[in-house]
Amino acid sequence: MRTFVLLSCFLVCTTYACAQDCRNWTTLSSDSDTAFWYNLKKTYSRTYTLKSTECDTSEIAFSFWSYGNLFSISKTNNTLYGEVTKYVKELNGKENSNRIFKKSYPLSDEKIVSIFNLINSSKIIAIPSDKYIKDWKQGFDGIEYVLEFKQKSYYSFKTFWTPRSQEN
């Protein structure tokens, strides 16, 4: 029994010591979906060295993910920043290679202001993740959209599987 307790303590301690997980938020929105897609997004962030919204120290941070694209917008001290990042992994025949292509494009101030206004006016942050929307159907292929929003210690992570295939 003593060995089991010591081994358990060791595993817990090394997991926390070695993990490079960033959680500088204390409140996760109740309509967030942190199962499969959250872990996949974290894998993409590590693989492609993408900016992490949950680690962002800006006053406000918003990200929109769709495979191969990341749109990030943030605001700190009345200064806005935004960029679009395209990312892809090379396929060599049927095998993945280790070669990665990633390119970021900064957004103009005018576009960032327009996007911030759209986020606020559309109330997109208030939409729950798809698993909390009545009659939202899931599938095995299609397009998955991920929305992240962070303001101070509040963090929201929402996913939407192929909105075009939904009836409503």
Side-chain angles (χ1 to χ4, degrees):
M1 181 66 176
R2 181 175 177 215
T3 304
F4 175 75
V5 171
L6 288 173
L7 183 58
S8 297
C9 289
F10 174 77
L11 289 174
V12 169
C13 290
T14 55
T15 299
Y16 283 110
C18 297
Q20 295 190 2
D21 194 11
C22 174
R23 287 207 177 157
N24 59 356
W25 44 269
T26 55
T27 306
L28 180 65
S29 68
S30 61
D31 58 351
S32 288
D33 182 1
T34 58
F36 174 77
W37 293 108
Y38 176 76
N39 289 325
L40 185 61
K41 189 263 325 177
K42 286 176 62 172
T43 300
Y44 286 161
S45 291
R46 279 192 301 270
T47 301
Y48 299 102
T49 60
L50 301 169
K51 287 175 60 175
S52 172
T53 302
E54 67 181 304
C55 295
D56 198 310
T57 57
S58 303
E59 294 167 19
I60 298 173
F62 178 85
S63 294
F64 173 79
W65 297 71
S66 181
Y67 185 75
N69 298 287
L70 170 60
F71 299 85
S72 302
I73 297 184
S74 60
K75 178 181 176 184
T76 302
N77 297 327
N78 292 324
T79 301
L80 299 172
Y81 179 77
E83 70 180 7
V84 176
T85 302
K86 305 272 189 180
Y87 58 94
V88 68
K89 187 180 266 190
E90 178 186 55
L91 289 176
N92 186 0
K94 293 183 181 179
E95 301 291 321
N96 280 332
S97 76
N98 290 328
R99 290 177 26 151
I100 291 172
F101 173 78
K102 180 180 85 167
K103 179 98 172 138
S104 294
Y105 304 91
L107 297 173
S108 69
D109 291 344
E110 181 180 284
K111 287 182 182 176
I112 297 169
V113 169
S114 294
I115 293 169
F116 254 110
N117 290 339
L118 180 63
I119 291 168
N120 291 328
S121 66
S122 69
K123 301 188 189 302
I124 194 169
I125 295 163
I127 300 171
S129 198
D130 62 6
K131 75 179 188 178
Y132 298 105
I133 298 174
K134 186 178 186 241
D135 297 327
W136 193 283
K137 294 175 179 43
Q138 299 295 319
F140 297 107
D141 62 357
I143 300 171
E144 186 73 22
Y145 298 103
V146 174
L147 297 178
E148 291 181 278
F149 176 73
K150 183 171 175 228
Q151 187 171 15
K152 299 183 182 176
S153 63
Y154 174 84
Y155 176 67
S156 175
F157 180 88
K158 301 173 186 179
T159 60
F160 304 92
W161 178 79
T162 312
R164 283 187 152 187
S165 70
Q166 307 305 317
E167 292 176 16
N168 301 2

